[in-house]
Amino acid sequence: MAREILKKLDKMVGLRPRVEYECTGVQGSVVTAAFLLRPAGEVMVIEVGLQTMNELPFMHISMAEVDLKFINRYHHSWPAAIRLLQHGVLNLSPLVTHRFPLEKAVEALTASADRTSGSIKVHIEDRTGLKEEPTKKGSKL
C-alpha cells in the first residue's frame, strides 16, 4: 500500500513531505506515513489506537532516520495557539460557516454531515438568556 501511494505522490508532486501528521492511530497508516517521508523526516502520531503495534518497519525507520513521535495531549501546543489568537495573529472566525440555535441542533448536524452545504465549522448555540447579537454574514440563520 505504501509503495502505491509513494508512486502516486512522486508522480503528482515530485517531493516527499518532511513531516507527516498521522491522526488515525491505525497501524497501517503509521507504517505508510513512515515510508512516505523524505529521509530524516518526522512522523507525528496523534493519539494511538492500539496498545501494541508489531508491524512497524523498524529497519526502514532506522535507516531513513525517521523520527517517530507520539502526541497524546497536545499540551505543548495550547499555550502558543492561545497567544496567537489573543494577539490577533490568527482569525478563526471565517471557519465558522454556520450557526444554529439549540432548537435546530438536528438541522445543524445535518448541515455538518452534508458535503454540499459548504460547512467547515458548525456552531450550535444555546442563546437562552443572552442578548441577541447579529448573526455572521453568510450564516444559515
Side-chain angles (χ1 to χ4, degrees), residues 31-102:
V31 170
T32 300
F35 280 105
L36 295 182
L37 292 171
R38 66 179 73 165
E42 186 175 285
V43 176
M44 302 292 291
V45 181
I46 301 171
E47 297 294 333
V48 180
L50 296 173
Q51 182 104 18
T52 304
M53 289 190 185
N54 291 324
E55 301 298 322
L56 290 178
F58 179 78
M59 188 56 83
H60 170 75
I61 291 171
S62 175
M63 297 303 290
E65 297 181 343
V66 170
D67 286 336
L68 185 57
K69 297 183 178 182
F70 297 88
I71 300 173
N72 293 309
R73 295 183 293 139
Y74 310 101
H75 70 282
H76 295 299
S77 59
W78 287 111
I82 290 169
R83 281 194 302 279
L84 290 171
L85 291 168
Q86 285 174 329
H87 296 287
V89 175
L90 295 177
N91 177 12
L92 301 182
S93 301
L95 296 178
V96 179
T97 56
H98 297 69
R99 294 178 184 274
F100 292 89
L102 186 57

Side-chain angles (χ1 to χ4, degrees), residues 15-35:
L15 297 172
R16 294 185 188 186
R18 187 186 64 76
V19 177
E20 292 257 349
Y21 292 93
E22 199 304 301
C23 302
T24 68
V26 174
Q27 180 173 280
S29 297
V30 175
V31 170
T32 300
F35 280 105

Side-chain angles (χ1 to χ4, degrees), residues 97-98 100 107-122 138 140:
T97 56
H98 297 69
F100 292 89
E107 190 178 328
L109 293 172
T110 301
S112 70
D114 180 2
R115 292 182 178 188
T116 64
S117 73
S119 69
I120 297 174
K121 178 73 173 172
V122 176
K140 297 291 181 179

